Amino acid sequence: MVGSVLLDRMREQGDFKTIKPTFFSTSAAGKSGPEIDGVKQGLGDAYDIDTLRKHDVLISCQGGSYTTDVYARLRAAGFHGYFIDAASTLRMERDSVLILDPVNLDVIQRGLADGIKTYVGPNCTVSLMLMGMDGLFKAGLVEWVSSMTYQAASGAGASTMRELVAQLATVADASRTLLADPAASALALDARVSETLRSSTLPTENFGAALAGSVIPWIDKAVADGQTKEEWKGHVEANKILGRSEANSIPVDGICVRVGAMRCHSQGLTVKLNRDVPLDEIVALLAAANPWVKIVANDKESTLRELSPAAVTGTLSVPVGRIHKLKMGPQYLGAFTVGDQLLWGAAEPLRRMLQILREHLKA
Ligand code: HSE
């Protein structure tokens, strides 16, 4: 899925005009691949190390098990080129850089100058939080962030998006007759929906539970201290993106929750500022940080129109709204942000890294 979105973005942006691509597949080698500028491309074998290693840059959207299988063998076979990866496998390696250039171009440039050859797209939730809060981090105002997430089905893969829609369809089918009857009570409808959500007819192979009409407050596996791995990534990846060591880290933590959105992750944020800054200054800093962040006025009409997965999906916009000081005190800021997890959360940092590399290799 990330590969398809990446391909679409590269076509839209004319990226193929400036590179000579070769396409590889783990499952369809020898078959026909994507069409680029009217020409059908063939597909090479993604396990053919000898062919892969002859390229200047490799981009993988294949997933962690492919990276685990191939990366070390590629390097051992003498691949000295740049490896850009969407998978999490190499993110915390010492000789990799996490890429989110609107936020950390300086860290990327430093990596290039130091000869680092491995560049990895960060966790989507982390990237989208940093895109939204960029202005506060750049101004050095953040003491800590608590992020309560509302993560879309797409984050768990293409099959889970289908499962969410299949669950919605199962609920719709089960409640159709009651819904069509104006005399049927809301409680009768609720009983039918609840019974369906708990029944074995609901498809739950991927999620293991109902997501339609419900939420799942657990993403990925358990790690230490009661966190899930998704929550652990919030702290370690945000600080690595920002180029901060653990000793100098900014705490980022919260609870990650899967919700029934298709491909936009949302987050309710509490930010502890390291000093009291007037709200209008905060808004100005957030708005000016990067071209994609968009401030949404803290009113109902603007929020309903602009601050939801339904409004944002398929766009590069990262709206930040509900911005206000919290009752805990003047240094506590509340905000809500939304972003497409397949664009800024996955594909976009990869295609932009390719552009950065192109400039770097030209220089
Ligand atoms: N791990 C994320 C999720 C997606 O499950 O939503 C990719 O970073």
Side-chain angles (χ1 to χ4, degrees):
M1 204 156 53
V2 176
S4 302
V5 173
L6 176 64
L7 208 56
D8 285 349
R9 279 293 294 154
M10 290 180 72
R11 281 201 192 97
E12 260 169 48
Q13 295 298 302
D15 292 351
F16 288 112
K17 296 193 191 330
T18 53
I19 59 167
K20 208 168 141 239
T22 320
F23 294 89
F24 295 90
S25 167
T26 53
S27 56
K31 300 208 173 119
S32 108
E35 193 175 300
I36 305 295
D37 294 330
V39 181
K40 256 293 184 220
Q41 309 285 312
L43 287 176
D45 177 2
Y47 296 106
D48 178 357
I49 302 284
D50 200 45
T51 305
L52 289 172
R53 77 182 176 89
K54 292 177 182 140
H55 290 76
D56 297 323
V57 182
L58 295 172
I59 300 193
S60 171
C61 298
Q62 191 57 45
S65 42
Y66 174 76
T67 303
T68 304
D69 181 4
V70 161
Y71 180 79
R73 289 199 282 135
L74 257 173
R75 292 291 187 209
F79 171 60
H80 299 301
Y82 293 91
F83 193 80
I84 305 176
D85 199 359
S88 63
T89 316
L90 303 169
R91 282 187 196 146
M92 297 315 293
E93 295 295 315
R94 283 174 63 89
D95 57 355
S96 73
V97 169
L98 295 187
I99 48 177
L100 187 64
D101 68 276
V103 170
N104 75 343
L105 186 59
D106 57 331
V107 175
I108 295 172
Q109 299 288 17
R110 211 159 49 234
L112 290 171
D114 290 347
I116 289 183
K117 295 288 184 74
T118 304
Y119 293 84
V120 189
N123 170 270
C124 45
T125 321
V126 180
S127 295
L128 293 168
M129 184 276 284
L130 287 178
M131 288 292 288
M133 293 294 106
D134 195 12
L136 298 183
F137 283 99
K138 280 183 175 142
L141 285 172
V142 180
E143 188 175 318
W144 54 252
V145 182
S146 173
S147 164
M148 297 299 184
T149 76
Y150 304 76
Q151 294 183 222
S154 59
S159 54
T160 59
M161 293 171 85
R162 292 186 66 83
E163 187 164 289
L164 170 60
V165 177
Q167 289 189 354
L168 291 165
T170 307
V171 170
D173 288 346
S175 45
R176 194 169 318 264
T177 323
L178 284 175
L179 206 51
D181 175 4
S185 73
L187 284 178
L189 198 54
D190 170 59
R192 178 68 55 83
V193 169
S194 303
E195 181 192 308
T196 310
L197 294 183
R198 291 173 186 150
S199 83
S200 58
T201 57
L202 194 80
T204 57
E205 264 175 323
N206 293 283
F207 292 122
L211 182 63
S214 193
V215 300
I216 303 176
W218 189 281
I219 296 178
D220 210 336
K221 60 185 181 195
V223 293
D225 305 325
Q227 281 186 312
T228 64
K229 192 161 183 202
E230 186 75 0
E231 291 151 5
W232 171 83
K233 286 174 181 174
H235 177 80
V236 295
E237 291 195 22
N239 281 285
K240 181 162 178 175
I241 292 168
L242 296 169
R244 302 181 80 97
S245 66
E246 185 52 31
N248 195 24
S249 64
I250 295 172
V252 177
D253 206 350
I255 292 182
C256 291
V257 180
R258 188 78 65 203
V259 300
M262 285 296 272
R263 56 180 272 188
C264 275
H265 285 1
S266 308
Q267 304 181 55
L269 303 170
T270 299
V271 182
K272 167 97 189 283
L273 303 170
N274 47 29
R275 59 188 170 84
D276 179 9
V277 181
L279 202 59
D280 56 345
E281 282 180 35
I282 290 173
V283 169
L285 285 169
L286 290 171
N290 66 61
W292 298 275
V293 74
K294 181 174 153 203
I295 302 299
V296 177
N298 188 15
D299 61 59
K300 183 175 178 182
E301 196 191 337
S302 310
T303 302
L304 265 56
R305 192 178 56 234
E306 298 173 51
L307 195 62
S308 68
V312 173
T313 194
T315 75
L316 288 159
S317 179
V318 182
V320 182
R322 302 302 332 276
I323 303 169
H324 62 290
K325 294 285 184 85
L326 300 174
K327 291 290 177 217
M328 292 85 174
Q331 286 172 248
Y332 292 83
L333 184 77
F336 192 88
T337 183
V338 184
D340 189 312
Q341 77 90 211
L342 291 172
L343 286 166
W344 273 120
E348 195 63 8
L350 307 184
R351 67 158 284 274
R352 291 173 64 90
M353 186 62 212
L354 195 57
Q355 299 298 319
I356 293 169
L357 273 179
R358 208 171 54 81
E359 291 305 313
H360 175 74
L361 293 171
K362 251 188 0 197

